[in-house]
Amino acid sequence: MTNAPIVSVIIPTFNAASYVANAVDSALASREVNVEVIVVDDGSTDDTWLLLDDFDKQVRRMRQNHGGPYRARNLAAREAKGEWLAFLDADDEWLPDKLMKQLARADDSTNLIYTDCMNFGDIDRLTELQSDSVKLFEGDIFEPLLLGNFIPLSSVLIRKSVFEELGGFSVERIGIGDWDFWLRYAASGGLVGLCREPLTRYRCHSGQISRDLDQRAADREAVLRRALLLPKGQQVSRHIARQAFANVWAIGAWRAAAENRSKAIRWYLRAAFYWPWKLQLYKEIIKCCIGRV
């Protein structure tokens, strides 16, 4: 491994003492890769900081006042020593060969590589394998990415110099900053590689549900509008743009359906305004009406 590039693994954590050790262990278990693991404690009030003592010098620890995970990732990226950055949420995990296989997939023009995901935990509304419900793309992905974010953040490996050139993650859109960055990367001409093996484990749990649905939906629409203003975005057909806006509101409706069916119906109808030919929207409205979400 002496000639292998250094990969800086960035793990932001906020009150994730129940999970973060598993995430760190999975990063340290990476095979055939030199890893630098950086954990940024985003103002936790639980035992996260003390728990990280167990890893001694295997982990670089940083602290910041609570400013959100994207700010934490940017902080770690500035301090990272690796040629590559890999993002891992504190409640997710990797398989040991993930980074090795991603580095093998990289080349001079492919500076961002992601993987398929296995969902685990509370997955009642999800398939176990991400690719069973979402089509995954590689290469020039700008247009398919406009239609929805299919790149799991915890699966991404990106060249540090490219991340810096694009200014890192935006911290304006809480929870949507990754989609915004992937869109900017693709719009700049960056090619994306895909490892079709499910090398990332994405944990679903109740702690992810507490969020402002209206703000998240507004952020998602704002990111899309920003992408469409980019030079590459202005070349997109009107049909693609309208489908993209429809999907923004359909995604918001799906997320809202479990706790606010009337809001979900309104948002499905808004999606139908943009793209009324999508039959699935009307099926979802019926499911909301009869309580089968």
Side-chain angles (χ1 to χ4, degrees):
M1 293 199 305
T2 54
N3 295 324
I6 297 175
V7 177
S8 295
V9 181
I10 295 174
I11 305 176
T13 180
F14 175 70
N15 289 346
S18 299
Y19 310 115
V20 68
N22 291 335
V24 172
D25 281 335
S26 74
L28 292 173
S30 298
R31 288 199 281 254
E32 304 300 323
V33 180
N34 293 316
V35 295
E36 170 196 42
V37 178
I38 306 173
V39 180
V40 182
D41 186 344
D42 184 32
S44 295
T45 56
D46 64 4
D47 294 332
T48 293
W49 189 255
L50 293 175
L51 183 150
L52 293 172
D53 280 339
D54 293 341
F55 294 98
D56 196 24
K57 295 181 180 179
Q58 291 180 292
V59 170
R60 291 178 63 189
R61 293 188 296 172
M62 298 179 183
R63 264 177 166 169
Q64 68 172 20
N65 293 329
H66 188 49
Y70 293 109
R71 195 178 300 277
R73 295 182 186 106
N74 288 343
L75 169 63
R78 288 193 296 271
E79 300 297 325
K81 298 175 182 176
E83 177 186 346
W84 292 86
L85 306 176
F87 302 106
L88 177 59
D89 283 352
D91 47 2
D92 296 337
E93 301 168 10
W94 291 340
L95 271 62
D97 290 340
K98 173 187 178 288
L99 296 179
M100 176 184 67
K101 291 182 176 182
Q102 287 180 290
L103 287 170
R105 177 65 183 81
D107 57 39
D108 290 342
S109 58
T110 306
N111 295 307
L112 189 157
I113 304 97
Y114 73 107
T115 80
D116 198 356
C117 272
M118 292 180 289
N119 298 314
F120 71 107
D122 183 10
I123 60 170
D124 290 347
R125 301 182 69 204
L126 297 173
T127 57
E128 186 172 352
L129 199 63
Q130 183 196 11
S131 56
D132 285 343
S133 58
V134 178
K135 188 173 181 180
L136 307 180
F137 297 85
E138 58 185 326
D140 179 358
I141 64 164
F142 182 72
E143 284 199 5
L145 193 59
L146 283 172
L147 299 176
N149 183 15
F150 47 82
I151 300 180
L153 178 52
S154 285
S155 78
V156 166
L157 175 75
I158 186 169
R159 202 179 297 271
K160 181 183 177 183
S161 59
V162 173
F163 184 78
E164 292 175 332
E165 286 168 10
L166 291 170
F169 290 115
S170 168
V171 298
E172 299 173 12
R173 307 296 173 190
I174 304 300
I176 315 296
D178 50 331
W179 187 37
D180 171 78
F181 184 88
W182 316 149
L183 284 165
R184 287 189 282 123
Y185 171 82
S188 73
L191 299 181
V192 170
L194 167 62
C195 291
R196 294 194 176 274
E197 293 179 70
L199 301 171
T200 304
R201 286 168 47 81
Y202 176 80
R203 186 192 304 270
C204 306
H205 57 90
S206 59
Q208 298 163 316
I209 295 175
S210 56
R211 58 186 177 269
D212 187 325
L213 292 169
D214 293 276
Q215 186 62 55
R216 187 64 60 86
D219 285 348
R220 196 175 288 112
E221 185 178 54
V223 165
L224 175 59
R225 291 188 183 278
R226 174 177 174 173
L228 291 172
L229 289 174
L230 297 170
K232 192 161 186 172
Q234 294 181 37
Q235 299 172 17
V236 169
S237 71
R238 182 170 176 270
H239 282 180
I240 291 292
R242 290 189 69 86
Q243 286 181 68
F245 279 110
N247 286 353
V248 158
W249 290 103
I251 291 167
W254 184 87
R255 294 184 181 279
E259 53 189 274
N260 191 327
R261 283 186 286 160
S262 62
K263 183 188 294 291
I265 291 170
R266 292 197 303 273
W267 286 358
Y268 278 128
L269 289 171
R270 187 176 298 185
F273 167 79
Y274 283 109
W275 199 249
W277 300 277
K278 189 172 183 178
L279 183 61
Q280 186 62 34
L281 296 175
Y282 308 105
K283 291 181 179 179
E284 294 298 333
I285 290 172
I286 292 171
K287 286 166 66 176
C288 285
C289 291
I290 63 177
R292 295 184 61 185
V293 296

